[in-house]
Amino acid sequence: MRPMFFRKALASLLLLTACLASRAGEPPGLIVDFDASNPPLMYAGKPGAAGLYPLLVAKACERAGIAVTLRAVSWRMALQELRGGSAAAGGIIKTASREKLFDFSQPLFTERVVMAYPRAGGQAYRRLEDLNGKRVGVMAGWSYGDAFDQARKDGKFAAFDGDSDQQNLQQLKLGRLDVVLGIREPLQLALREGGHHGFALSAEALSANHSYLAINKHSQQQALLTRFDLALEGMRKDGSYDKLVRDFLSARGGD
């Protein structure tokens, strides 16, 4: 009896050890960094990250059965941790250079980049070429698409990095910038909350870029990303994605 008992106990122990070993090689979940200063899309909340992007990521992960930690950090830090593979990044734009380093989810949202400028300046901004020779306020670490990034690299205009829309709008108010670029919903919110009444927003978007969840190619989290995509696709098919986005933006006056 006792040898049989010990053999069964040993077999159970070996099976448990094998299961734990296989799980040890798998990422336990996702740590996702978001920009702490881009409301209402993503910002620092209590606790962790808040906004549309963290909400979308949390809902998709819940549906996919993925444990997730949502963090609000500076965008510079988010990109640094994404490059180092210690965290994923939510609300990031896909560019040719980034595709070499990161794997991207299905699109989270479509960001429409618009331009804020003084009404009394006598010039309306509509196209990328309108920025030539101007002082342009942008968000540090952000990409506004390959065309903008190339024009910046070519020195078509002088781009100044800020850490928030409010900071850039204040520089515009002080006359240190000619125009500020931003995503429509956050820029509208910053104008409203900052009491900036002398600025206009471009009627047409300078560009429309999908935002994504991205992981480092060396993070070994591709299986989690696939599960995330399936959950996000399911949300789009059953209408819960559209309802979530519509309700969120309507509650904040963004529709």
Side-chain angles (χ1 to χ4, degrees):
M1 293 291 293
R2 297 184 69 180
M4 180 64 70
F5 171 80
F6 283 121
R7 282 199 296 270
K8 288 184 178 180
L10 179 60
S12 298
L13 180 60
L14 291 174
L15 179 60
L16 177 60
T17 302
C19 290
L20 291 175
S22 65
R23 288 180 178 271
E26 299 176 0
L30 286 173
I31 298 173
V32 186
D33 287 342
F34 297 90
D35 190 346
S37 304
N38 190 27
L41 298 183
M42 45 184 171
Y43 57 96
K46 296 181 179 180
L52 178 60
Y53 291 165
L55 180 59
L56 282 170
V57 169
K59 291 295 184 183
C61 284
E62 179 183 1
R63 184 166 180 151
I66 298 172
V68 65
T69 300
L70 310 177
R71 304 192 305 197
V73 299
S74 72
W75 193 240
R76 301 173 198 254
M77 178 62 70
L79 292 178
Q80 179 179 328
E81 295 194 335
L82 178 60
R83 293 189 190 100
S86 60
I92 188 171
I93 300 301
K94 185 188 296 185
T95 65
S97 60
R98 287 175 177 174
E99 285 189 277
K100 298 176 183 178
L101 303 173
F102 314 131
D103 289 323
F104 293 83
S105 69
Q106 295 297 314
L108 293 177
F109 188 67
T110 301
E111 297 182 351
R112 290 172 172 80
V113 177
V114 295
M115 297 172 279
Y117 55 93
R119 295 181 188 275
Q123 177 179 350
Y125 291 82
R126 299 185 179 88
R127 305 172 303 162
L128 182 60
E129 292 77 11
D130 294 334
L131 301 179
N132 289 350
K134 304 299 183 182
R135 299 166 299 170
V136 183
V138 297
M139 294 282 278
W142 281 40
S143 169
Y144 295 87
D146 288 329
F148 178 90
D149 293 347
Q150 186 61 49
R152 179 179 184 174
K153 184 178 179 180
D154 293 341
K156 299 289 187 180
F157 46 79
F160 295 87
D161 294 322
D163 291 318
S164 69
D165 287 324
Q166 285 286 14
Q167 183 183 95
N168 285 340
L169 289 173
Q170 184 63 24
Q171 295 300 304
L172 183 63
K173 183 177 181 179
L174 295 172
R176 296 170 182 168
L177 296 172
D178 299 304
V179 58
V180 165
L181 268 59
I183 302 166
R184 183 184 65 183
E185 292 84 3
L187 204 52
Q188 286 175 331
L189 181 64
L191 285 169
R192 185 165 62 248
E193 292 188 344
H196 300 294
H197 304 296
F199 298 146
L201 285 182
S202 57
E204 296 182 2
L206 176 65
S207 63
N209 305 303
H210 292 313
S211 60
Y212 301 86
L213 174 69
I215 62 171
N216 190 291
K217 285 184 179 292
H218 301 294
S219 67
Q220 299 182 340
Q221 293 182 316
Q222 283 74 14
L224 292 180
L225 194 63
T226 298
R227 287 164 55 189
F228 178 87
D229 280 344
L230 289 172
L232 189 60
E233 182 180 355
M235 291 173 61
R236 293 184 188 277
K237 287 182 176 179
D238 67 18
S240 58
Y241 171 90
D242 287 337
K243 184 177 187 305
L244 186 154
V245 172
R246 182 175 61 251
D247 291 350
F248 181 91
L249 294 179
S250 296
R252 288 153 181 80
D255 59 351

